[in-house]
Amino acid sequence: MLDPVTAIATATAAFNGVRKLVAAGRDLEDCMGQMSQWYTAVSDLTEAQRSAKNPPLFKKLTSSKSVNAEAMSIWSATRKAQAQEKALREIITYAYGREAWMELIQLRRRIKLEREKAIYAQKRKRESTFWTVVTITVLSVVCYGFFAGVSFILNDVKDKTETKDK
């Protein structure tokens, strides 16, 4: 994940690439790589916003940016990304019509949901594995303690019977 300044710089570079290609008369299909980079950078910006709302404790303690500076950089980057998205919408709508833009939006939503489901499934699997390892470790320690206790008691009884026999 990129910081907001880097994310918007990447988005701007990709956006400018799209505009140059379109201005040079290239088909929109030729711009898909640039648009993909733009959407990835905007996704990183969105994630930066999300993590800024609830930063980890370590970041809170060690962050060199003030809260206001971080908020301003995220806010300005978000505004710039919104303006760029509006321009991209106009380019796509002009080239393919409003239906193409709506199709793209729905496709983005569907892919986002599928990725989130996959990420959540992976997270649940990691948590399940973690708790399985914890459970096995605890059971191993308990079983070892039980058998060590039984062994100690049996040895103690054996020692007492040996001393009685003498």
Side-chain angles (χ1 to χ4, degrees):
M1 182 188 74
L2 301 174
D3 66 287
V5 174
T6 306
I8 198 62
T10 304
T12 300
F15 176 76
N16 289 336
V18 170
R19 284 192 4 199
K20 286 177 186 175
L21 289 172
V22 170
R26 301 290 294 268
D27 288 336
L28 207 51
E29 287 83 10
D30 297 335
C31 305
M32 289 303 147
Q34 296 289 325
M35 290 178 69
S36 175
Q37 289 176 355
W38 183 85
Y39 279 114
T40 300
V42 170
S43 177
D44 288 340
L45 178 61
T46 304
E47 185 58 32
Q49 284 177 312
R50 198 173 295 133
S51 68
K53 289 179 183 175
N54 190 16
L57 178 62
F58 184 74
K59 185 177 179 186
K60 287 179 188 177
L61 297 174
T62 61
S63 179
S64 61
K65 276 186 168 180
S66 73
V67 173
N68 294 331
E70 188 172 0
M72 287 301 293
S73 68
I74 290 174
W75 178 82
S76 64
T78 301
R79 292 293 178 192
K80 191 170 188 176
Q82 288 171 345
Q84 291 172 353
E85 184 173 25
K86 182 179 178 187
L88 285 175
R89 182 181 66 231
E90 290 170 1
I91 291 170
I92 291 172
T93 302
Y94 179 75
Y96 295 104
R98 181 162 167 70
E99 301 82 32
W101 178 255
M102 298 309 291
E103 183 180 335
L104 177 62
I105 295 296
Q106 289 188 355
L107 183 61
R108 283 176 48 204
R109 286 182 186 147
R110 183 178 56 80
I111 291 170
K112 181 181 176 186
L113 286 174
E114 288 173 1
R115 285 187 182 166
E116 285 178 355
K117 285 180 185 177
I119 289 169
Y120 290 143
Q122 186 180 29
K123 183 179 177 183
R124 283 192 298 271
K125 185 176 180 180
R126 270 193 305 245
E127 287 176 357
S128 174
T129 302
F130 171 77
W131 287 112
T132 300
V133 169
V134 167
T135 302
I136 290 170
T137 303
V138 168
L139 285 175
S140 297
V141 168
V142 167
C143 287
Y144 176 77
F146 174 75
F147 287 116
V150 168
S151 176
F152 178 75
I153 292 170
L154 290 176
N155 284 337
D156 191 42
V157 168
K158 182 180 172 187
D159 288 345
K160 287 183 180 180
T161 56
E162 286 179 0
T163 53
K164 259 188 182 177
D165 290 340
K166 288 185 181 183

